[in-house]
Amino acid sequence: MVRFATIGAGFQTEQSILPSLRFTDLELVAVCDLDEERARVVGSRHGALRTYTDYQKMLASEEIDAVSVVGPPELHHEAGLAVLESGRHLFVEKPPAPDLAKARQIQAAAASRGLQVMVGFMKRHAHAYVRARELSTRPGFGRRTMLRLNYSHVHYASLREHAIFMTVHGLDLARYFMGDVAGGSVAKREIDGNYVIALLVQHEDGGFSQITLSTHEPRVQESVELVGESALIQVTNLTELRYHPRASTWEDVQSTDESMVSLWYPEFAIPIEYTSNHVLQGYAGQLRHFANALAAGEAVSPNIDDGVEAMRLAEALCDAPDGITPLRLRD
């Protein structure tokens, strides 16, 4: 077991992080929150041995291997550095810091101490996306040529919060499926204080991504279409995956039998692991991966390098003027 503590006992920790521990080899030792009663209640619910209101005291007192930091971006940066300085591995929610420069400080601190930092881009571990990526590696799929991704939702308080709290998920997913970004263009329009953003991105291996990121849609609307060489994978709201095999010729296109498409969706009628919301959304998978990687001495994914790249993309969207302009990534 990996001995584990958490800094921050708010909504995200209580609803998503701690309930996912039952799928992992993480042993919850301590919970820290500025609100003493909240730390006590949340810790008690999830079996923590002790609770704290001062994370420095917790880091000095407890024998732990890894710590999660879940709260506002400023806490991610400040407490994340303290965790690394104490010699522990770090799981930090996205965004890893309030800005790119501070995310790079976490990156440098981890590298200098030889410690692991995993960033909470849980969608990389969402059941349907893991299946989609595995399908795209099979010989019949061919090279990944195009990603069409929509990650849009209700209004947000500001463009920056839109970019670093929500849009950053879509930006990281594009890198997960298609690789590093070489360049592109951004279309951006402000409407009554909220934004419609569309990206056309070229990846280093030559593939393209079309990414739409609006704050003018109901609830959260999430869809992914991954295109190979005449094959197609579609994932809608994490609960439906369709695989369309190759149809390279017009004779293939005219086929109307059951071979045209395969469908996967969760079998909610049966109480099995992947019907859990924490597995479907990726929270359980990311923490299980974190625990297993630490136990085996292997690299975590996504790591702080992925966090920095996602922040570079998010800040490029914030920097871009309205209209259609080149995507300019900061060095």
Side-chain angles (χ1 to χ4, degrees), residues 27-330:
E27 177 188 1
L28 183 63
V29 174
V31 170
C32 179
D33 195 274
L34 288 173
D35 185 327
E36 183 175 8
E37 177 65 8
R38 183 166 191 83
R40 185 190 65 77
V41 170
V42 172
S44 176
R45 284 175 182 164
H46 296 280
L49 302 177
R50 286 167 291 280
T51 58
Y52 295 83
T53 57
D54 182 338
Y55 66 76
Q56 293 284 14
K57 184 177 179 181
M58 183 184 76
L59 294 174
S61 303
E62 294 291 344
E63 294 184 8
I64 44 181
D65 306 303
V67 180
S68 71
V69 180
V70 184
E74 294 77 11
L75 178 68
H76 295 171
H77 173 253
E78 177 187 289
L81 288 176
V83 169
L84 294 170
E85 288 165 3
S86 77
R88 276 63 171 239
H89 301 290
L90 172 65
F91 173 89
V92 61
E93 257 297 353
K94 56 77 189 169
D99 56 47
L100 178 59
K102 290 181 178 177
R104 283 179 164 151
Q105 288 177 5
I106 294 177
Q107 184 183 42
S112 68
R113 292 168 173 81
L115 294 168
Q116 300 256 34
V117 177
M118 185 169 179
V119 179
F121 293 128
M122 80 291 182
K123 292 183 184 296
R124 290 193 181 210
H125 294 274
H127 193 77
Y129 290 150
V130 172
R131 293 178 70 91
R133 197 167 187 273
E134 191 279 325
L135 282 170
S136 75
T137 65
R138 297 181 184 180
F141 191 79
R143 292 171 296 178
R144 300 170 198 158
T145 59
M146 171 69 76
L147 175 72
R148 293 186 290 269
L149 186 153
N150 177 52
Y151 190 62
S152 297
H153 46 79
V154 297
H155 292 348
Y156 231 81
S158 69
L159 171 61
R160 184 164 188 83
E161 290 187 8
H162 169 195
I164 69 172
F165 282 110
M166 295 295 285
T167 285
V168 72
H169 275 307
L171 301 175
D172 181 68
L173 271 180
R175 293 187 64 250
Y176 172 65
F177 284 116
M178 301 295 288
D180 286 332
V181 172
S185 60
V186 53
K188 179 176 166 186
R189 181 186 179 196
E190 184 267 333
I191 305 172
D192 296 331
N194 276 266
Y195 285 82
V196 176
I197 300 173
L199 285 172
L200 177 61
V201 169
Q202 183 171 11
H203 296 270
E204 289 187 354
D205 69 353
F208 288 91
S209 289
Q210 297 174 324
I211 308 170
T212 52
L213 307 159
S214 170
T215 52
H216 288 277
E217 297 195 23
R219 298 173 297 280
V220 175
Q221 303 300 319
E222 181 173 346
S223 61
V224 165
E225 293 187 342
L226 185 58
V227 184
E229 296 177 85
S230 297
L232 171 66
I233 300 167
Q234 298 170 308
V235 180
T236 304
N237 285 338
L238 294 172
T239 55
E240 182 178 284
L241 185 154
R242 294 177 183 270
Y243 179 72
H244 303 257
R246 290 176 67 98
S248 302
T249 69
W250 284 107
E251 288 75 15
D252 297 328
V253 172
Q254 293 169 20
S255 171
T256 57
D257 62 24
E258 64 278 5
S259 68
M260 290 177 64
V261 63
S262 300
L263 172 65
W264 172 88
Y265 55 89
E267 184 52 80
F268 290 111
I270 304 173
I272 52 181
E273 178 179 295
Y274 74 74
T275 62
S276 163
N277 189 52
H278 296 100
V279 174
L280 290 173
Q281 289 188 301
Y283 291 106
Q286 70 176 358
L287 291 170
R288 180 159 51 196
H289 168 80
F290 183 60
N292 292 346
L294 294 185
E298 298 173 352
V300 299
S301 177
N303 60 24
I304 187 59
D305 297 340
D306 297 304
V308 166
E309 288 306 305
M311 289 294 287
R312 286 182 75 214
L313 288 163
E315 295 209 350
L317 299 187
C318 293
D319 292 343
D322 280 15
I324 302 176
T325 57
L327 180 67
R328 302 191 186 280
L329 296 172
R330 299 183 187 180

